[in-house]
Amino acid sequence: MFAPIAVLNDWSNGINYIFAFIIGIGFGWVLESSGFGNSKKLAWQFYFRDLTVFKVMFTAIVTAMTGLIFIDAFGWIDMSSILINETYLWSGAAGGLIMGIGFAIGGYCPGTSFTGFATLKVDSYFYIFGALLGMFVYGEVAPFIEPFYGGKYSGYMGTVTLQKFFGVSAGVVGFVIMIIALAGFFGAEWIEKKNGNIVKS
Amino acid sequence: MEKKNYISPYLGGVLLGLVLLLSFIISGRGLGASGAMMKFVVAIEKFLAQGHVDSNPYLAHYGATGINPFNDWLVFEILGVIAGAFLSGLIGGRIKKETNRGPQISDKQRWIYAVIGGALFGFGARLARGCTSGVALSGGATLALGSWVTMLCIFAGAYGLAYFVRKLWI
């Protein structure tokens, strides 16, 4: 077992942050070269014109998921040291719907807005200002909606994975997600052939 | 420099997946974005009104007296994102001051809607404890139940509303 490297070797914040910066460079590079600095390319997914976001995101999820499942099966990684998001069903669902509405109106999500920022897309500057404003408002109202955020109305279930929830192995869940993703890719290619209008550069 | 085409979405997806996998292997955590924005918000509030931050438990978690909001993995990761996107844009000839929008609205209208959409996304991201990067992508790859619920809700919300705001984009 050698991973997660930073956790098992008890890295200092300084070393951790250097690697955070390097990992970020890879993240930003891929987002920009895939076209995610351009809000029109992002928004056109919702009109079935350019389904690049779906393809990139699901290919990435399948790639990372498969890698994690295998290195876990080989005993190379301590999965209990990995940060896995806890499930808050209701606040997570409501937050997701609000984010989706913001995505369709604003054309970016936070990660892609930084990509727009780095390539001088003026609309991303306004989007980032808006996102900071929305978070400021959230911070101010947070104490009042705590029961829904983390309290008894939040739908808190602890750290639950799909395999735990459905009572199957991670490999089965991974296989099903792969099949769904493949079907989705064929569907996306078919839709783009009929209705496509890809933003190429 | 001549403007180059974007890379294949499947190549981009594999590369993004490998970056994400490396992040888990090296740092033991996935990628993120909105968390860094929240640190920035709290840093400003701290500068203006430390007492206010201390008295609000949600804000205090990020920036109570003695806590530096910028002392955080995500903040350095986002600095890397900006650097990486800049380098990729530079090589691809895509660094250009422009506003992307649909043909039926003006730049100014696009900017106003960008603020509104950003505000909604920012609010929702705090409520759901993360955005498309930290929850949908990273949480999705770790097969976290709540992350998949949030991911599906993001796309349901966006595809559901898209028809009504089509004038902004097509």
Side-chain angles (χ1 to χ4, degrees):
Chain A
M1 190 174 297
F2 67 89
I5 298 169
V7 179
L8 298 186
N9 296 292
D10 208 9
W11 279 1
S12 69
N13 279 350
I15 302 175
N16 245 322
Y17 296 165
I18 290 170
F19 277 90
F21 184 74
I22 296 169
I23 289 165
I25 289 177
F27 187 23
W29 186 292
V30 179
L31 289 180
E32 202 289 326
S33 52
S34 296
F36 294 174
N38 184 335
S39 56
K40 196 166 86 172
K41 188 173 181 68
L42 297 167
W44 274 13
Q45 65 176 312
F46 305 127
Y47 303 96
F48 299 103
R49 291 184 169 198
D50 184 331
L51 296 171
T52 301
V53 173
F54 170 78
K55 295 183 211 167
V56 171
M57 199 162 160
F58 269 81
T59 308
I61 288 176
V62 167
T63 304
M65 169 194 79
T66 309
L68 278 176
I69 288 173
F70 273 97
I71 60 174
D72 181 31
F74 297 154
W76 291 349
I77 194 163
D78 175 20
M79 286 302 282
S80 65
S81 300
I82 295 271
L83 196 72
I84 295 178
N85 297 332
E86 291 183 292
T87 294
Y88 294 83
L89 203 56
W90 304 128
S91 49
L97 284 173
I98 297 170
M99 282 192 269
I101 290 167
F103 204 162
I105 296 173
Y108 281 111
C109 59
T112 54
S113 72
F114 285 115
T115 311
F117 175 88
T119 51
L120 304 183
K121 306 302 176 239
V122 180
D123 44 337
S124 77
Y125 291 71
F126 286 90
Y127 179 94
I128 291 171
F129 172 74
L132 296 174
L133 195 68
M135 290 186 195
F136 166 73
V137 171
Y138 187 85
E140 297 309 306
V141 301
F144 305 102
I145 56 175
E146 169 58 27
F148 184 65
Y149 175 72
K152 59 178 172 176
Y153 302 115
S154 64
Y156 179 66
M157 297 167 69
T159 304
V160 193
T161 55
L162 293 173
Q163 57 269 32
K164 196 168 154 194
F165 184 73
F166 290 111
V168 294
S169 72
V172 170
V173 174
F175 186 71
V176 170
I177 288 175
M178 265 186 210
I179 299 293
I180 294 172
L182 277 177
F185 297 149
F186 277 106
E189 296 299 334
W190 182 75
I191 289 169
E192 282 183 348
K193 217 171 197 173
K194 287 187 73 169
N195 190 43
N197 196 344
I198 311 287
V199 181
K200 288 205 169 71
S201 67
Chain B
M1 194 183 276
E2 198 189 331
K3 203 173 174 186
K4 294 196 187 91
N5 281 357
Y6 301 129
I7 61 174
S8 149
Y10 300 109
L11 173 62
V14 170
L15 292 175
L16 180 57
L18 291 176
V19 172
L20 177 57
L21 183 60
L22 268 180
S23 182
F24 283 120
I25 291 174
I26 295 171
S27 303
R29 53 161 303 150
L31 305 166
S34 62
M37 286 177 159
M38 191 63 205
K39 309 277 174 180
F40 189 71
V41 169
V42 175
I44 294 171
E45 288 195 69
K46 239 175 110 74
F47 179 71
L48 296 174
Q50 178 70 63
H52 175 67
V53 173
D54 286 332
S55 67
N56 175 329
Y58 184 80
L59 298 177
H61 167 75
Y62 289 102
T65 301
I67 299 178
N68 176 2
F70 293 133
N71 185 11
D72 184 72
W73 193 92
L74 272 180
V75 169
F76 289 86
E77 179 238 36
I78 281 299
L79 292 175
V81 167
I82 295 169
F86 175 77
L87 290 173
S88 166
L90 195 66
I91 289 170
R94 292 185 293 262
I95 297 192
K96 185 185 166 201
K97 194 178 159 201
E98 62 180 348
T99 293
N100 292 113
R101 55 174 170 79
Q104 300 192 60
I105 58 168
S106 67
D107 280 358
K108 270 190 190 145
Q109 282 173 305
R110 164 75 186 113
W111 297 341
I112 292 166
Y113 283 108
V115 173
I116 295 170
L120 286 164
F121 206 122
F123 187 94
R126 285 344 307 149
L127 184 59
R129 297 175 164 79
C131 61
T132 341
S133 310
V135 173
L137 179 66
S138 305
T142 55
L143 304 176
L145 174 69
S147 298
W148 278 85
V149 171
T150 300
M151 185 202 311
L152 295 177
C153 287
I154 292 174
F155 287 104
Y159 277 91
L161 185 78
Y163 176 79
F164 302 99
V165 296
R166 62 191 182 282
K167 211 187 140 192
L168 301 181
W169 300 109
I170 58 177

